[in-house]
Amino acid sequence: MSFRPLAGSYGFGRVGASPVSFQPDNGSAYLQATLAPAETLRFSFTNNSVFNLNSVDLAEYSTVVPNAVTVHFVGYRHDGSIVTTDFTTDGIIDGTGPLADFQTFYFGKQFTDLDRVEIPTYGWSLDNLVVSIPEPATGALLLVGGLVFGALKSRANRLG
Ligand SMILES: [Ca+2]
Ligand SMILES: [Ca+2]
């Protein structure tokens, strides 16, 4: 999967597994888009495979900017339609303190068969993006198996 900034933005940062005290902490590395200059993110599979978006962990930017943040997701579906959703964090953050900074948000059924997803907003921290490959891939595999079986069967009939 490839993660890139949107054209015209300044890119995004990666925070290591041991953040400084004022950054959100969940024990692992994560991505972060700063407040200024605006940073954004887009992601897609490098092999152009379509995917479903299941869930994501989001947190505020830092204890310096502890406000609840609304993260806007734009999904570009393979059929050309565009779906959007907004997730707003709880505004609870104490950095490396004991409070849970990240929350898990679940995407609706409309976030399926996606070519790519963009986050045109900033001021967030993001981790544990859960994606899956849609069902049709499995159906195609089963179909291939059926064709092979059919070919073997007709050959057997000829031999008989
Ligand atoms: Ca914390
Ligand atoms: Ca939080």
Side-chain angles (χ1 to χ4, degrees):
M1 182 146 248
S2 107
F3 292 89
R4 288 176 289 165
L6 292 176
S9 86
Y10 290 87
F12 51 89
R14 180 181 180 280
V15 177
S18 301
V20 289
S21 63
F22 56 82
Q23 291 177 315
D25 180 27
N26 65 355
S28 69
Y30 56 88
L31 297 178
Q32 198 171 52
T34 58
L35 293 171
E39 294 183 333
T40 56
L41 175 67
R42 68 176 271 175
F43 50 89
S44 59
F45 273 97
T46 45
N47 65 358
N48 294 323
S49 168
V50 296
F51 58 97
N52 301 338
L53 212 44
N54 297 357
S55 66
V56 65
D57 288 0
L58 296 171
E60 300 71 25
Y61 181 65
S62 79
T63 58
V64 181
V65 190
N67 316 24
V69 60
T70 297
V71 187
H72 187 60
F73 287 83
V74 183
Y76 293 84
R77 303 187 66 209
H78 197 66
D79 65 7
S81 62
I82 296 172
V83 293
T84 63
T85 195
D86 292 303
F87 294 138
T88 301
T89 65
D90 53 14
I92 296 171
I93 178 171
D94 67 350
T96 52
L99 296 179
D101 303 315
F102 282 85
Q103 296 165 265
T104 301
F105 295 90
Y106 294 91
F107 291 90
K109 275 190 293 206
Q110 73 273 27
F111 272 80
T112 51
D113 296 318
L114 300 159
D115 284 326
R116 73 176 196 279
V117 172
E118 297 182 355
I119 307 174
T121 56
Y122 51 91
W124 43 257
S125 303
L126 180 151
D127 199 7
N128 298 329
L129 195 63
V130 178
V131 302
S132 61
I133 304 299
E135 293 285 329
T138 313
L141 281 177
L142 288 173
L143 182 61
V144 168
L147 289 172
V148 170
F149 179 74
L152 287 173
K153 193 171 168 224
S154 68
R155 192 169 162 217
N157 285 346
R158 268 204 308 279
L159 288 172

